[in-house]
Amino acid sequence: MEKSKLDELICITAWSTAFIDGQKDSSESKATEKEKNIVRAMRAFFKMDVDRFNKSNQKYETLTGHLIELQDKDPITKIVARYSALKVAHAENEDGNNQVVSSDKEWEFIRKIDDITDIWRVRDDIKSLSMNLINEMCAPEFLIDNDLLEIIKIEKEEGVIYTRRIQPLLKAFFNSLEKNNLYVTWEENYLALIKYKSELQDMFGKMDLKEFDTRYKELKPLISNLKKEQIAKEKQLAKELADKEKQIAKEKAEKEKQLAKEKEELEKNKTHEYSVSNGIQYCKYCGGDERWRKHDCQRELGHKYTLRRVQNKIGFDYSFQPVCNNCGDIRHYCEMDWKYKFKCSQK
């Protein structure tokens, strides 16, 4: 989709504010004639006919679809777009009681413009000058007084609009950025101003940017150093993030390895290891005979059985029974299995 021209973006932004409470191109919209006339007067200031405006406006499916295009534009376009939206939001009621009315949706829309354009950073320092420019551009007389439009045309050609309104606004804008140590942002806006200078002069008339060119040359070494510091900081942060992610991955791998080892050990502890001696089969780790195969072994208890000839618990006869080499426990098969679920005293 072809991008809109600067004056089209400004007018579309103001027009969208008037309709933001309803739907795009909907009869349900709450836009008032007062709000619409603000945009119409601004179109007259730009000498934008209704066909060009409609064609540009119809490219966007939503009332906010065009806002992303404001992101990399020059400061004048961003400021005028933002404050023309504010003027529409503050338009009087049509009943003539001069009550300022702005809806939650209008304010949400304006805050979105602030976020996209970063105007919020300098808002307090440019508000008055911005509204002075907007009020001049949106004068209702433009809708009925062609002679006034001719005067404006002459003032544009002679650079009067720039000297009277735009130059002071740009000074306040760039001074505010310096005051807030936003030098990289200063450069971004200056370069955008140079990039769109020709189109801006078609909109506002002759513009002399020499003072900003001079100031940029003075600030360029500082900005260059700040950008280097920013790049170095970003690299350091990226390295720290990479190291952190690497450490997290390492700890995760170690934890998974430990869990796998524990699981393997747990399974191993459940497994009998039978040995046969003197015709008797017994588990080396729990002493249980073949009857205990259906039960889990208890290796973790620490016993280590071998078959020995010991005296029976009942009577004085001797027989071969599993005996723990570590603690001397005798695994009498006549005893209940739970009796042997104790840790080896030598573990």
Side-chain angles (χ1 to χ4, degrees), residues 236-248:
Q236 180 62 28
L237 289 174
K239 182 180 182 300
E240 291 175 1
L241 179 60
D243 290 343
K244 185 176 180 180
E245 291 176 346
K246 186 177 180 180
Q247 181 63 27
I248 291 173

Side-chain angles (χ1 to χ4, degrees), residues 240-263:
E240 291 175 1
L241 179 60
D243 290 343
K244 185 176 180 180
E245 291 176 346
K246 186 177 180 180
Q247 181 63 27
I248 291 173
K250 181 180 178 181
E251 292 174 357
K252 182 180 179 182
E254 290 176 349
K255 185 176 181 180
E256 289 175 349
K257 184 178 179 181
Q258 180 62 28
L259 289 173
K261 183 179 179 180
E262 291 174 0
K263 183 178 180 181

Side-chain angles (χ1 to χ4, degrees), residues 17-46:
T17 310
F19 286 84
I20 202 69
D21 286 321
Q23 300 295 324
K24 189 175 176 69
D25 300 326
S26 171
S27 59
E28 298 178 2
S29 171
K30 299 178 182 179
T32 66
E33 283 302 309
K34 176 72 174 179
E35 292 170 325
K36 293 177 183 178
N37 282 338
I38 290 173
V39 183
R40 290 165 181 155
M42 192 156 50
R43 285 200 294 106
F45 177 88
F46 289 133

Side-chain angles (χ1 to χ4, degrees), residues 285-318:
Y285 298 101
C286 69
D289 62 9
E290 183 64 24
R291 291 174 300 170
W292 305 109
R293 186 183 289 273
K294 62 182 179 180
H295 302 294
D296 290 340
C297 188
Q298 301 287 328
R299 293 193 187 199
E300 70 275 10
L301 297 178
H303 296 291
K304 189 68 179 289
Y305 289 96
T306 56
L307 202 65
R308 297 182 189 178
R309 189 173 181 271
V310 296
Q311 187 177 14
N312 294 335
K313 292 191 71 175
I314 300 176
F316 299 98
D317 295 334
Y318 287 84

Side-chain angles (χ1 to χ4, degrees), residues 89-237:
H90 283 175
E92 299 171 356
N93 267 341
E94 288 187 275
D95 57 15
N97 63 9
N98 291 330
Q99 180 184 0
V100 174
V101 177
S102 56
S103 69
D104 291 340
K105 287 187 177 180
E106 286 173 334
W107 278 115
E108 182 181 346
F109 181 69
I110 292 171
R111 285 196 295 269
K112 190 168 186 176
I113 299 172
D114 281 345
D115 291 339
I116 287 175
T117 61
D118 267 354
I119 293 297
W120 62 271
R121 294 174 178 270
V122 298
R123 193 167 49 206
D124 292 341
D125 295 319
I126 66 171
K127 180 179 178 180
S128 178
L129 292 170
S130 297
M131 290 310 300
N132 288 340
L133 173 60
I134 296 301
N135 289 335
E136 182 165 334
M137 291 173 56
C138 301
E141 292 83 2
F142 289 159
L143 300 176
I144 57 175
D145 192 341
N146 290 328
D147 290 338
L148 182 58
L149 286 173
E150 286 300 315
I151 293 174
I152 291 295
K153 179 182 177 181
I154 295 172
E155 288 186 342
K156 286 182 180 180
E157 292 173 352
E158 295 179 352
V160 175
I161 297 294
Y162 174 77
T163 303
R164 183 171 65 228
R165 298 298 183 197
I166 295 179
Q167 188 178 34
L169 178 55
L170 283 175
K171 284 182 179 180
F173 176 82
F174 284 112
N175 286 342
S176 183
L177 291 177
E178 287 192 47
K179 181 181 71 174
N180 291 289
N181 297 317
L182 298 170
Y183 293 102
V184 175
T185 304
W186 198 105
E187 181 185 52
E188 291 170 352
N189 280 276
Y190 167 77
L191 294 177
L193 187 63
I194 298 303
K195 177 180 178 180
Y196 292 105
K197 180 180 178 181
S198 179
E199 192 172 349
L200 287 169
Q201 290 188 135
D202 291 339
M203 296 160 55
F204 297 103
K206 184 179 178 182
M207 299 173 64
D208 184 356
L209 303 178
K210 289 180 181 178
E211 63 180 303
F212 303 106
D213 298 336
T214 300
R215 186 57 180 154
Y216 178 57
K217 290 177 182 178
E218 295 170 349
L219 291 175
K220 197 168 183 179
L222 171 62
I223 294 172
S224 179
N225 288 333
L226 288 172
K227 289 168 77 172
K228 288 178 182 178
E229 291 175 4
Q230 183 175 337
I231 292 172
K233 185 177 180 180
E234 289 172 354
K235 285 183 178 179
Q236 180 62 28
L237 289 174

Side-chain angles (χ1 to χ4, degrees), residues 280-282 287-289 291-292 321-322 331-335:
I280 298 174
Q281 188 178 51
Y282 66 95
D289 62 9
R291 291 174 300 170
W292 305 109
Q321 299 286 351
R331 178 70 154 86
H332 290 284
Y333 291 144
C334 61
E335 296 289 344

